[in-house]
Amino acid sequence: MNSLMRQHGIGITGSDIVLRQKFAAPFQPRSFLPSLSRQKKPETCSFVSVQSLHLASLGVGNSRRVDLVKCEAYDADKSEVESGGGGTQPLEAAKKAKIGLYFATWWALNVVFNIYNKKVLNAYPYPWITSTLSLACGSLMMLISWATKIAEAPNTDFEFWKSLFPVAVAHTIGHVAATVSMSKVAVSFTHIIKSSEPAFSVLVSRFLLGETFPLSVYLSILPIIGGCALTAATELNFNMIGFMGAMISNVAFVLRNIFSKRGMKGKSVSGMNYYACLSILSLAILTPFAIAVEGPQLWAAGWKTAISQVGPQFIWWVAAQSVFYHLYNQVSYMSLDEISPLTFSIGNTMKRISVIVSSIIIFHTPIQPINALGAAIAILGTFLYSQAKQ
């Protein structure tokens, strides 16, 4: 009996606590617990003491080994939690680097496309077939990618294509109108006018959809409209068809964005595959209209003229503008999977600046100081619009 009493006196047990509370006698634990009671982290000690009390009350032997294992396991878990916050920094850095790569690729591809597209249109002034070839090339590239398993084919149904149809109609109109514009005026002028797209977005959303915006948004479109008007009034090679083409393109792309937001809610299709499906449907819509407006006879005659004037490299120009058109649009839609619409809008503004500057340098476009001022005001207004929308 005495041995049993001594055995219970070795460790802190549930009966020890009862006796301590009942008789209020001072009681010191044995030597195997002091290292835990002197821990600087009270939460660790309380965790171990509760576990050891529970085990000891059940009469589990070798309590020292169990307590130490419990303590080490808790410390290890806590160290992982404490160090887990630092692991997010490399992930954030990698995400920012990925977004930066998307933007740089998007801008570079867009600049290259605009250069080759303008070269093609200067030698071969048929914007309808040029637009058709751009969509056909992108559609063929994606069909081959799906067939060879390079890219995973999207899982679509009739409802998907039905909701995509109005988006494709607006995309087709915007694409052709922009190409018509660039066939008549300088690339820089087209993109300056196209920078007024946010103003059309606000006006269409306000008067057709009944949406309201903060006062800062309405104020931001004033420099956009004023800058574009100043640029158009001082353009040395102004052309009404080129100007109207850019304006129609703005309206069409605003409607495309509206239809896309309404029709694509709940659809799980990646940005790359979404644009691929959009290209295929737009190609089907555009082809009969291109044949009706221009026709194979004009295309054949113009092709012979272009080859005789430029040489075989004209074929490379056509191929390059078609491939780069699809690639830059594909990258822009892929970037939407990674960034917010606000960041995308700012990136689109910076893209126009890079296109305007590069086209002026490459094509030696004459520009007056007042014309440059109008372009700067319009682009500044676009940036202010992006900030006001956040």
Side-chain angles (χ1 to χ4, degrees), residues 126-387:
Y126 299 101
W128 288 79
I129 184 59
T130 303
S131 302
T132 305
L133 291 175
S134 300
L135 295 173
C137 180
S139 301
L140 180 62
M141 289 169 60
M142 289 309 301
L143 289 174
I144 294 174
S145 298
W146 292 336
T148 57
K149 306 298 182 181
I150 296 176
E152 184 178 356
N155 185 15
T156 61
D157 53 16
F158 176 76
E159 289 299 322
F160 170 83
W161 292 99
K162 180 181 177 181
S163 62
L164 187 64
F165 182 78
V167 183
V169 171
H171 178 74
T172 303
I173 295 172
H175 176 42
V176 173
T179 308
V180 169
S181 176
M182 282 191 282
S183 69
K184 300 294 183 180
V185 295
V187 175
S188 57
F189 179 75
T190 297
H191 279 273
I192 292 171
I193 301 303
K194 282 177 64 64
S195 66
S196 64
E197 183 177 326
F200 286 91
S201 178
V202 171
L203 295 176
V204 171
S205 299
R206 177 66 184 90
F207 293 106
L208 294 185
L209 303 179
E211 296 183 9
T212 57
F213 300 93
L215 179 61
S216 57
V217 172
Y218 293 109
L219 292 177
S220 67
I221 68 175
L222 295 179
I224 297 176
I225 297 174
C228 290
L230 182 61
T231 302
T234 57
E235 174 65 22
L236 294 177
N237 299 314
F238 179 83
N239 181 280
M240 182 56 71
I241 295 177
F243 175 76
M244 292 304 300
M247 298 291 280
I248 293 172
S249 176
N250 283 333
V251 176
F253 284 138
V254 166
L255 294 175
R256 179 194 65 179
N257 295 337
I258 293 174
F259 293 147
S260 181
K261 289 178 182 178
R262 287 186 169 187
M264 297 310 298
K265 289 182 179 179
K267 304 292 191 303
S268 56
V269 178
S270 66
M272 179 179 67
N273 284 335
Y274 176 77
Y275 180 71
C277 295
L278 182 61
S279 296
I280 293 172
L281 191 53
S282 294
L283 175 63
I285 296 170
L286 176 59
T287 301
F289 287 96
I291 294 173
V293 173
E294 293 176 345
Q297 293 183 349
L298 287 178
W299 298 340
W303 187 271
K304 291 180 180 179
T305 304
I307 292 293
S308 63
Q309 293 178 351
V310 179
Q313 63 178 342
F314 173 74
I315 300 175
W316 158 249
W317 292 357
V318 174
Q321 72 92 24
S322 301
V323 171
F324 283 111
Y325 173 79
H326 176 79
L327 291 179
Y328 102 76
N329 277 286
Q330 187 182 75
V331 172
S332 70
Y333 273 84
M334 290 171 64
S335 66
L336 279 173
D337 292 337
E338 305 289 338
I339 60 178
S340 66
L342 172 63
T343 306
F344 183 85
S345 179
I346 295 174
N348 198 40
T349 302
M350 301 304 294
K351 178 206 74 174
R352 296 207 185 281
I353 295 175
S354 62
V355 172
I356 291 170
V357 174
S358 61
S359 64
I360 290 174
I361 295 173
I362 293 173
F363 293 108
H364 305 287
T365 306
I367 184 170
Q368 301 181 62
I370 190 67
N371 192 262
L373 177 62
I377 293 174
I379 293 171
L380 175 62
T382 305
F383 179 77
L384 294 176
Y385 167 83
S386 301
Q387 297 299 308

Side-chain angles (χ1 to χ4, degrees), residues 86-98:
T88 59
Q89 293 180 356
L91 293 177
E92 288 295 327
K95 184 177 181 180
K96 289 181 179 179
K98 184 178 181 181

Side-chain angles (χ1 to χ4, degrees), residues 3-77:
S3 62
L4 290 175
M5 291 296 293
R6 285 194 298 271
Q7 185 175 1
H8 282 289
I10 292 175
I12 301 176
T13 65
S15 59
D16 292 330
I17 295 178
V18 173
L19 290 172
R20 182 180 297 180
Q21 293 175 346
K22 185 175 182 179
F23 299 104
F27 182 83
Q28 298 294 330
R30 292 288 179 175
S31 60
F32 72 92
L33 281 176
S35 61
L36 297 177
S37 63
R38 289 195 299 268
Q39 293 288 335
K40 294 182 179 180
K41 301 175 181 178
E43 64 273 15
T44 306
C45 298
S46 62
F47 179 84
V48 175
S49 62
V50 170
Q51 295 295 330
S52 61
L53 286 172
H54 178 66
L55 290 172
S57 65
L58 293 176
V60 178
N62 198 12
S63 60
R64 179 179 183 181
R65 180 178 61 82
V66 175
D67 292 339
L68 293 176
V69 171
K70 290 287 183 182
C71 182
E72 291 173 359
Y74 179 79
D75 288 342
D77 291 341

